[in-house]
């Protein structure tokens, strides 16, 4: 087996792990374990949420160094699980290079079912509205907002609008639809609609990962994700607040 | 009756979130994650006699994250999967709403109160995740005998 071919695949796995929302310690440990499995020495890995560097000594004694960047990160828990299994198999030396290549390609080329994601937006918006005390009318309006939000966020992501502005605009959309529905007397409980639908925007993964990074001792990454979570929560509040203020007198 | 509807709504809502987080093949994770989330809300409801939302959130989140870690060990999957889904019913969404409502209406006392309670709930949730993850880290070290060499 060629060392550089293997390392190329390992780098790819590291990049995918970062991209799909793994904690920093998982990225670092996975890379280290895989390299140890192939018998490389002097392995040093350092990762932050958008970047990692890997340096080691090859079997013939030459030093190797690589760094990879992963900018467009988005959570994908299915892939996270598959990558985790793949890393475990590679560290135990269960796979040949061809099998590793195939598995990575499998993960990379998997087609997402976007209809399911749309259903996810609609169902979770509607159900969390019920959860916060909405009745049938509120539920229907929330489902509608979930439907709109899916396409709105999809559009903003296509245009590569940054996360903060995206969250502000999306929360403005959801708040304005809810308030207008309230003014038109379609719903009576505006609070349940707004709280239920803003759940979609809540930065759950950023909070969880930032705490788990801090536990792992990666304070730089933990803090950067914490700031991300706080900024997103603040932008939700700002977006909803602006729309409340604007539509108050209408 | 109302709590039953809430628990059911929490389950289906969490299940919807698993699609947003792109679990499409491992549906068992979706179901377990949603069940953990529902259980978290159930714990929050039955501890209502404590009359302290911070303590309630803390205990509920502790159950959620401990269970998540257990299932993560069982299925050899990252615990994040279960925690992310299970935390949703406990996230203070209505806190954010009321904080903004009071801010917009200029009621500063109520604004401060709901802001601080939202912050407090978030911190309780964070503390619960911190504690359970650390506990499992210690357990792992003891079990695999990987003590740190103090030099």
């Amino acid at each position: 087996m060629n060392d550089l071919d293997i390392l190329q695949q390992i780098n790819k796995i590291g990049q995918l792990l970062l991209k799909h929302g793994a904690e920093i310690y998982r990225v670092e440990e996975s890379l280290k374990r895989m390299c140890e499995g192939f018998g490389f020495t002097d392995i040093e890995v350092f990762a932050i949420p958008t970047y990692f560097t890997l340096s080691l000594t090859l079997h013939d004694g030459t030093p190797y160094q690589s760094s990879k960047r992963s900018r467009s990160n988005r959570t994908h828990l299915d892939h996270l699980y598959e990558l985790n299994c793949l890393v475990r198999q590679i560290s135990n030396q269960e796979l040949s290079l061809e099998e590793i290549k195939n598995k990575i390609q499998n993960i990379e080329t998997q087609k997402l079912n976007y209809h399911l994601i749309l259903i996810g937006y609609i169902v979770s918006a509607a159900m969390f509205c019920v959860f916060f005390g909405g009745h049938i009318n509120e539920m229907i309006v929330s489902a509608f907002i979930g439907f709109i939000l899916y396409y709105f966020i999809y559009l903003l992501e296509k245009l590569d609008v940054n996360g903060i502005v995206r969250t502000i605009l999306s929360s403005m959309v959801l708040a304005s639809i809810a308030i207008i529905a309230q003014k038109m007397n379609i719903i009576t409980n505006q609070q349940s609609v707004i709280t239920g639908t803003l759940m979609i925007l809540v930065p759950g993964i950023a909070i969880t990962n930032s705490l788990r990074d801090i536990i792992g001792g990666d304070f730089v990454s933990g803090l950067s994700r914490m700031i991300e979570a706080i900024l997103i929560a603040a932008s939700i509040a700002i977006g909803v607040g602006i729309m409340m203020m604007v539509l108050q007198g209408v | 009756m109302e709590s039953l509807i809430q628990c059911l709504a929490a389950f289906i809502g969490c299940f919807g979130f698993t699609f947003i987080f792109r679990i499409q093949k491992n549906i068992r994770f979706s179901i377990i994650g949603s069940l953990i989330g529902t259980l978290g809300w159930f714990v929050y409801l039955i501890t209502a006699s404590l009359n302290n939302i911070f303590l309630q959130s803390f205990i509920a989140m502790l159950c959620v994250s401990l269970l998540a870690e257990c299932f993560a060990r069982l299925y050899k999957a990252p615990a994040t999967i279960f925690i992310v889904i299970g935390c949703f019913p406990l996230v203070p969404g209505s806190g954010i709403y009321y904080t903004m409502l009071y801010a917009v209406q200029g009621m500063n006392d109520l604004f401060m109160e709901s802001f601080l309670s939202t912050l407090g709930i978030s911190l309780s949730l964070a503390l619960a995740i911190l504690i359970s993850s650390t506990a499992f880290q210690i357990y792992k070290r003891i079990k695999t005998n990987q003590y740190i060499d103090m030099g």
Side-chain angles (χ1 to χ4, degrees), chain A residues 221-242:
Chain A
S221 312
L223 277 182
S224 77
R225 273 176 169 152
M226 179 87 77
I227 298 288
E228 186 194 341
I230 293 173
L231 279 179
I232 291 179
S235 12
I236 295 174
I238 290 169
V240 173
I242 288 174

Side-chain angles (χ1 to χ4, degrees), chain A residues 42-78:
Chain A
D42 300 328
I43 304 154
E44 297 292 346
V45 192
F46 176 73
I48 54 172
T50 53
Y51 174 85
F52 75 86
T53 143
L54 168 70
S55 70
L56 45 81
T57 308
L58 300 180
H59 289 301
D60 57 6
T62 43
Y64 172 87
Q65 220 265 324
S66 75
S67 50
K68 289 271 177 274
R69 195 116 165 76
S70 161
R71 293 220 59 153
S72 55
N73 293 347
R74 57 158 54 263
T75 317
H76 194 317
L77 297 181
D78 250 355

